[in-house]
Amino acid sequence: MFAVLFAVLCLMCLSTTMADQHKSCHTPNMTGYLTGVNYKGGSVLTWAFSYDSLAKRLHMKSVQTPGLTPIISNKAQDVLMLFDEGFFYEINRTDQSCEKKVLHSAVSSMDVPPNATFLLKTTIGSGSVPGEGLTVSVWVGSIPETNDTPNMTGYLTGVNYKGGSVLTWAFSYDSLAKRLHMKSVQTPGLTPIISNKAQDVLMLFDEGFFYEINRTDQSCEKKVLHSAVSSMDVPPNATFLLKTTIGSGSVPGEGLTVSVWVGSIPETNATSSTSLTMGCIPVIVTYHNPTTIASVSHVEVETGIKDPEKLEVPSFCEGKAVEETPDGTVHTFFTLIL
């Protein structure tokens, strides 16, 4: 589920002329200690840290929390995070080795999330007794990258209410590699629709392109993917709207609790609303812009990937050059299926 970060920053960072506008602080270079408490997991870990606010680099080394029994953790004990570069190092200085891994979000406790909004100004401790209180500003933001969308297989149906089309696809989604394979299937009970949409598509969101595949004649076309947003995940700029129940919340087995997130897709001047189960499985996504009103429903979803080969680029597509995109054409998940 999405993490919600409450960043508490000293109001001394605000100029008196800007205080009423609730301008967030520019965090200084810092060294110190931070303690992370996982209330569900029951862990308490303390780290010595050094933070370069200009270069956006953070080093943390695990230290023993005073007064607590040492905790044996599978967490890395020595970490260097390079937020702007998008990766981090898990370091073992004893045997002079390290592992370099992808860092999927640049948000940390050192800074306020870019999408954060001002919540309130308050005092920790006493506001009336000198020296017994600290005035702080509280900011609330979302970290979409921390959603736990699982690997999935299932079916999705795209309904274009303006275009009158209803298309169903069998899909496999790798949430870590950000790869989605879709193959068009007949919608049960509906007359077959002759569509100019590709029938077999492999989208590589992180790489920024997709393949339209014809397995019969062993051919494919490689094209630019202009947006990494799909119905599988919430847009990075999304904000939480509400938690609600589809169906009945009072009759056992007759309702599904979902969280609803609203975000934008600038590439197509569109807005989307995504409903997720409490386990972060997408249920329905609505999509609209000046030319399209549509919805995408996910059904018969199972966690895991049944056929990993579907998410691999076919051998006959290897080495394909990216085709030139015609002027005015924008390729996104939504334009491909609706």
Side-chain angles (χ1 to χ4, degrees), residues 81-100:
M81 300 184 185
L82 284 64
F83 295 108
D84 283 351
E85 290 85 345
F87 55 83
F88 68 99
Y89 294 93
E90 293 183 350
I91 305 168
N92 186 324
R93 298 181 192 272
T94 302
D95 61 11
Q96 299 282 285
S97 64
C98 67
E99 294 182 16
K100 183 179 180 181

Side-chain angles (χ1 to χ4, degrees), residues 13 34 50-51 85 91 93-94 100 107 121 127 138 148-149 167 196 205 210 225 271 278 303 315-316 319 327:
C13 291
L34 62 87
S50 298
Y51 181 59
E85 290 85 345
I91 305 168
R93 298 181 192 272
T94 302
K100 183 179 180 181
V107 177
K121 172 184 172 182
V138 181
D148 294 325
T149 303
L167 297 175
N196 60 356
F205 295 107
F210 68 99
L225 190 61
T271 299
M278 294 300 97
T303 57
S315 58
F316 55 83
D327 291 341

Side-chain angles (χ1 to χ4, degrees), residues 25-66:
C25 299
H26 174 71
T27 307
N29 294 338
M30 298 181 289
T31 58
Y33 296 88
L34 62 87
T35 298
V37 181
N38 186 333
Y39 296 101
K40 283 192 174 182
S43 63
V44 181
L45 297 175
T46 299
W47 306 76
F49 75 85
S50 298
Y51 181 59
D52 185 329
S53 64
L54 184 61
K56 300 296 182 186
R57 293 190 170 196
L58 173 65
H59 174 260
M60 302 192 306
K61 185 174 176 62
S62 177
V63 298
Q64 173 56 28
T65 306

Side-chain angles (χ1 to χ4, degrees), residues 9-331:
L9 300 175
C10 178
L11 283 178
M12 292 302 291
C13 291
L14 302 181
S15 69
T16 55
T17 58
M18 295 296 290
D20 290 339
Q21 298 182 32
H22 308 303
K23 183 180 178 181
S24 62
C25 299
H26 174 71
T27 307
N29 294 338
M30 298 181 289
T31 58
Y33 296 88
L34 62 87
T35 298
V37 181
N38 186 333
Y39 296 101
K40 283 192 174 182
S43 63
V44 181
L45 297 175
T46 299
W47 306 76
F49 75 85
S50 298
Y51 181 59
D52 185 329
S53 64
L54 184 61
K56 300 296 182 186
R57 293 190 170 196
L58 173 65
H59 174 260
M60 302 192 306
K61 185 174 176 62
S62 177
V63 298
Q64 173 56 28
T65 306
L68 293 182
T69 303
I71 296 175
I72 300 175
S73 172
N74 59 357
K75 302 291 185 183
Q77 305 297 300
D78 191 337
V79 179
L80 176 62
M81 300 184 185
L82 284 64
F83 295 108
D84 283 351
E85 290 85 345
F87 55 83
F88 68 99
Y89 294 93
E90 293 183 350
I91 305 168
N92 186 324
R93 298 181 192 272
T94 302
D95 61 11
Q96 299 282 285
S97 64
C98 67
E99 294 182 16
K100 183 179 180 181
K101 300 181 179 180
V102 174
L103 189 62
H104 293 99
S105 173
V107 177
S108 74
S109 64
M110 302 293 139
D111 289 293
V112 174
N115 61 9
T117 55
F118 177 78
L119 179 63
L120 57 87
K121 172 184 172 182
T122 188
T123 300
I124 299 174
S126 173
S128 59
V129 181
E132 297 297 324
L134 177 66
T135 302
V136 298
S137 61
V138 181
W139 297 75
V140 181
S142 62
I143 311 173
E145 295 87 352
T146 58
N147 73 74
D148 294 325
T149 303
N151 293 339
M152 297 179 287
T153 58
Y155 297 88
L156 62 85
T157 298
V159 181
N160 187 334
Y161 297 102
K162 281 193 173 182
S165 64
V166 180
L167 297 175
T168 299
W169 307 75
F171 74 86
S172 297
Y173 181 60
D174 185 327
S175 64
L176 183 61
K178 300 298 181 186
R179 291 189 170 198
L180 173 65
H181 175 261
M182 302 192 307
K183 185 174 178 61
S184 178
V185 298
Q186 173 57 29
T187 305
L190 294 182
T191 302
I193 296 175
I194 299 175
S195 171
N196 60 356
K197 303 290 183 182
Q199 305 296 302
D200 191 336
V201 180
L202 176 63
M203 299 183 189
L204 284 63
F205 295 107
D206 282 351
E207 290 84 344
F209 53 81
F210 68 99
Y211 293 92
E212 294 183 348
I213 303 168
N214 187 323
R215 299 180 193 273
T216 302
D217 62 11
Q218 300 279 283
S219 66
C220 66
E221 296 180 9
K222 183 179 180 181
K223 299 180 180 181
V224 173
L225 190 61
H226 294 100
S227 172
V229 177
S230 74
S231 67
M232 301 295 142
D233 290 294
V234 173
N237 60 13
T239 56
F240 176 75
L241 179 63
L242 57 86
K243 177 180 175 182
T244 189
T245 300
I246 299 174
S248 173
S250 59
V251 181
E254 296 297 327
L256 178 64
T257 301
V258 297
S259 61
V260 182
W261 297 77
V262 177
S264 62
I265 307 170
E267 294 83 358
T268 55
N269 192 27
T271 299
S272 69
S273 172
T274 304
S275 298
L276 300 170
T277 67
M278 294 300 97
C280 280
I281 293 175
V283 179
I284 188 167
V285 177
T286 60
Y287 171 95
H288 65 88
N289 64 14
T291 60
T292 305
I293 299 175
S295 66
V296 180
S297 302
H298 300 75
V299 298
E300 301 295 333
V301 176
E302 298 179 20
T303 57
I305 300 172
K306 293 182 177 180
D307 188 355
E309 288 189 3
K310 290 182 178 179
L311 294 163
E312 296 296 327
V313 178
S315 58
F316 55 83
C317 295
E318 294 287 354
K320 279 280 185 179
V322 179
E323 296 191 4
E324 186 174 342
T325 305
D327 291 341
T329 299
V330 177
H331 296 307

